Amino acid sequence: MEKADKTDKMDVEDKDKLMNAPGLKLGGRLYKDMIAMLQKCINDVVKAIMEKQRKRFNHNAKNFLGAHPISLTREDLHRKLYAERVDFLTCEKSDGVRYLLFITNFGDAIMNGRTEEFHLVNIPMPRSIIDEKAQQNKIQYLFDGELIVDEIGGKNYLRYLIFDCIIYNFESVFNRSYKERLEYAQTYINTLELSRKFLGKANILPQTTAETSELPEIQLYVKDFYVATAKNPALTTNPEFFIKNMAPRLPHGNDGIIFTQNEADYAVGATDTILKWKNPDQNSIDFLLVNNYSLASKFGKRIVDLYVTKQNTETGLSSFVLFDFMIVDEETFDMIGKEIGINEEMDLFLYKNASTDRIVYIAECKYDRHFTDEVLTQFINTYSDNPKFIDELLGESVLHDDTLGGAEKNLKINLEAKKKSGKGNWKIMRKREDKTLPNALNTAEKVYASIQENITIENLRDQLFPPHGQNHVDPGPEKRVRKS
């Protein structure tokens, strides 16, 4: 990688910044036509997928096109692996940033993430696979994947790991098997490598703009996948072996396993055809955080409300639903308030009654089941002593555009769990700069259920995969680590 020196000696914050702004942000009159083409492609793909799934397509919905995994439960895997005899392909859950990658017949490479922004990125394209005589710019390839930073030999490399293919050479392939879609992606990568190897630099298209050519080059790879099936257990890669022996050798962060159903179309939004497992202490939910000044007189500046979203299937619009609360220190309480503009109780009133353009603070939070604190005890006791506490809490805490749907049920479940154990609290892992909405309600419910089940990697090995001896072949060093 010629521009590897541009990403040397990066700390975690620098890596996050690079992954969240990988290229030239498209905007203004200069890129108006390109943005319109990209948005039309997204709408056409979403509509085609939803019509095949017999779901209603709504033009008002502004959600990321990509399929979202749900947290696995024991019931999920037992049902799919043994009752339905489903074949899965598994891979590591990378600690990267999710993007769709559009490649046009003019050789432009554009990434689109959860913030709905489009970035023109530096991915060199061989002339041999681009139609330079084309009169109209069209989407020739559309991939789904993650942008990660690999650290190898003291240097950092920006890489896009493809894990799905939606459009291949102008043709929609979302309804092919997962294995076929991965094979399409690998064919594309092989073509790139062969073109570069045998035709040299003269075959590489010049960058669309000077600004793009100065950006770090992004390398393309297809993720490595393994089999999980009950039909032939000898083919299944032991998840414990994978997590303890293979995942640590990867040159980037990873925190779990993704199970993707082979005989399933590409989906839009959350789908049970893709399941994710994470270590119990790393299972997380992306919440919208709001520091609750209404409760400050009773509990001090310690309570933060945690919201998720619920989409109205008729309008396509999303509402915020109160899911749980979090105990924080005053410094964190004030930090959140500074970020979203809530520094006194009146600010909270204005924030809750604002339009949907309000400033949001989205954070990935994990659950600490062993957490204890006097404020938590006081909060639990207040709930125990007052049957109407939930009604009062909702009255104080619900955002103006919340439908209340599901809020009372989930809050009661979460409070009852804390009441039973006297422990438990969410903790902020990181701010999600790449998201403008928290997780959906059904996703949050699945993650919370998975947390309560506390499925360890040993449980996954012993309870969800039949024993099959020592038939585990070490595939060798991770394929992306290549000698120069």
Side-chain angles (χ1 to χ4, degrees):
M1 177 177 170
E2 294 179 3
K3 297 181 176 63
D5 59 321
K6 289 195 174 184
T7 54
D8 289 352
K9 300 179 181 178
M10 298 170 65
D11 58 22
V12 173
E13 186 176 350
D14 288 335
K15 291 179 182 179
D16 286 342
K17 286 181 179 178
L18 183 60
M19 289 189 293
N20 285 311
L24 177 65
K25 182 179 175 181
L26 300 185
R29 296 169 61 183
L30 181 62
Y31 295 104
K32 181 180 178 181
D33 291 342
M34 180 179 284
I35 292 174
M37 175 194 65
L38 294 166
Q39 194 59 62
K40 182 180 184 303
C41 177
I42 291 174
N43 288 338
D44 289 347
V45 169
V46 172
K47 185 176 181 180
I49 292 173
M50 296 189 76
E51 284 180 349
K52 191 172 188 301
Q53 296 174 345
R54 297 182 179 179
K55 294 180 180 179
R56 180 175 177 176
F57 172 69
N58 195 306
H59 288 277
N60 293 321
K62 291 185 177 180
N63 291 326
F64 181 62
L65 161 62
H68 303 308
I70 61 174
S71 292
L72 68 84
T73 62
R74 289 185 173 89
E75 190 277 331
D76 286 330
L77 276 182
H78 276 301
R79 173 172 54 84
K80 286 186 173 289
L81 276 175
Y82 303 120
E84 300 177 8
R85 309 288 283 181
V86 169
D87 291 336
F88 287 96
L89 294 177
T90 67
C91 66
E92 45 101 6
K93 184 181 179 300
S94 305
D95 188 14
V97 177
R98 177 82 172 275
Y99 286 101
L100 296 172
L101 173 61
F102 299 82
I103 296 174
T104 75
N105 55 334
F106 284 4
D108 296 316
I110 304 104
M111 286 185 170
N112 171 241
R114 291 187 176 98
T115 60
E116 300 179 25
E117 296 176 344
F118 294 102
H119 293 267
L120 193 61
V121 295
N122 183 2
I123 300 177
M125 293 293 161
R127 296 179 188 274
S128 54
I129 65 171
I130 298 299
D131 184 4
E132 293 188 88
K133 296 181 180 180
Q135 298 298 310
Q136 185 179 1
N137 203 2
K138 295 180 180 180
I139 304 301
Q140 188 169 355
Y141 302 94
L142 175 54
F143 301 110
D144 195 353
E146 289 173 293
L147 192 63
I148 54 94
V149 176
D150 275 349
E151 186 174 342
I152 304 169
K155 294 183 179 294
N156 292 280
Y157 299 86
L158 194 58
R159 289 169 171 171
Y160 181 73
L161 308 184
I162 299 172
F163 53 68
D164 216 322
C165 180
I166 305 167
I167 295 176
Y168 183 81
N169 202 22
F170 303 109
E171 181 184 357
S172 292
V173 295
F174 67 83
N175 57 347
R176 307 293 178 88
S177 73
Y178 191 41
K179 184 173 182 292
E180 286 181 278
R181 302 200 302 269
L182 290 173
E183 287 172 347
Y184 279 124
Q186 189 60 60
T187 298
Y188 177 79
I189 297 299
N190 292 345
T191 304
L192 286 183
E193 292 181 349
L194 287 172
S195 296
R196 291 168 182 168
K197 181 176 181 180
F198 293 108
L199 299 179
K201 290 185 178 181
N203 181 49
I204 301 298
L205 280 171
Q207 290 298 309
T208 305
T209 66
E211 293 94 333
T212 307
S213 64
E214 290 302 312
L215 292 167
E217 181 182 312
I218 298 175
Q219 298 175 332
L220 301 183
Y221 294 88
V222 176
K223 264 192 169 184
D224 296 322
F225 284 80
Y226 308 92
V227 175
T229 176
K231 296 176 184 176
N232 189 348
L235 297 177
T236 298
T237 297
N238 186 315
E240 182 185 28
F241 179 83
F242 178 84
I243 287 295
K244 293 184 177 180
N245 296 279
M246 294 160 65
R249 298 164 66 180
L250 295 170
H252 56 265
N254 54 88
D255 58 0
I257 302 176
I258 299 291
F259 297 81
T260 303
Q261 197 168 311
N262 184 39
E263 297 298 333
D265 295 353
Y266 187 88
V268 175
T271 173
D272 67 354
T273 62
I274 309 176
L275 305 174
K276 66 177 179 180
W277 172 87
K278 297 175 73 172
N279 272 312
D281 62 347
Q282 292 297 312
N283 237 327
S284 61
I285 298 176
D286 295 331
F287 289 115
L288 164 68
L289 275 54
V290 180
N291 54 332
N292 195 327
Y293 256 99
S294 296
L295 298 176
S297 60
K298 186 180 296 185
F299 301 104
K301 295 197 295 183
R302 301 291 305 280
I303 309 296
V304 170
D305 297 332
L306 305 176
Y307 292 88
V308 293
T309 57
K310 184 175 183 180
Q311 189 177 75
N312 185 315
T313 55
E314 294 297 320
T315 65
L317 301 177
S318 295
S319 297
F320 293 115
V321 176
L322 182 65
F323 187 81
D324 205 348
F325 67 91
M326 176 168 59
I327 308 295
V328 300
D329 54 38
E330 288 196 11
E331 182 180 355
T332 302
F333 186 96
D334 290 335
M335 179 273 294
I336 295 170
K338 184 177 180 181
E339 289 270 355
I340 63 177
I342 299 178
N343 300 301
E344 57 179 296
E345 189 167 356
M346 180 55 70
D347 292 337
L348 180 62
F349 174 80
L350 295 173
Y351 186 87
K352 289 179 178 179
N353 289 277
S355 69
T356 53
D357 294 329
R358 66 169 66 87
I359 300 171
V360 296
Y361 186 95
I362 310 294
E364 181 180 1
C365 303
K366 65 179 180 179
Y367 196 75
D368 180 359
R369 61 180 63 248
H370 304 295
F371 177 90
T372 58
D373 182 272
E374 60 180 14
V375 174
L376 175 64
T377 302
Q378 184 185 357
F379 204 91
I380 293 172
N381 290 339
T382 302
Y383 166 67
S384 302
D385 298 338
N386 182 4
K388 296 184 178 180
F389 179 68
I390 288 182
D391 294 334
E392 294 175 2
L393 183 62
L394 287 174
E396 295 288 354
S397 308
V398 173
L399 292 183
H400 181 69
D401 53 353
D402 181 22
T403 61
L404 292 181
E408 185 172 345
K409 179 193 74 172
N410 285 289
L411 193 59
K412 185 173 182 179
I413 291 173
N414 299 341
L415 285 170
E416 284 290 344
K418 293 180 178 67
K419 177 183 175 182
K420 185 176 181 180
S421 65
K423 302 176 182 179
N425 188 42
W426 296 95
K427 290 187 175 181
I428 298 173
M429 296 173 67
R430 57 170 175 153
K431 183 180 179 183
R432 293 301 302 264
E433 300 281 2
D434 60 322
K435 299 187 73 173
T436 56
L437 286 174
N439 282 147
L441 175 61
N442 61 340
T443 299
E445 289 173 337
K446 274 284 189 179
V447 173
Y448 189 75
S450 182
I451 289 171
Q452 296 307 309
E453 286 193 349
N454 196 32
I455 302 174
T456 66
I457 191 63
E458 290 78 18
N459 296 148
L460 202 60
R461 176 200 65 199
D462 296 339
Q463 298 181 34
L464 306 179
F465 287 82
H468 51 275
Q470 300 299 315
N471 299 320
H472 310 134
V473 179
D474 187 343
E478 209 280 325
K479 295 177 183 178
R480 287 184 293 281
V481 183
R482 300 181 176 182
K483 295 181 179 179
S484 57

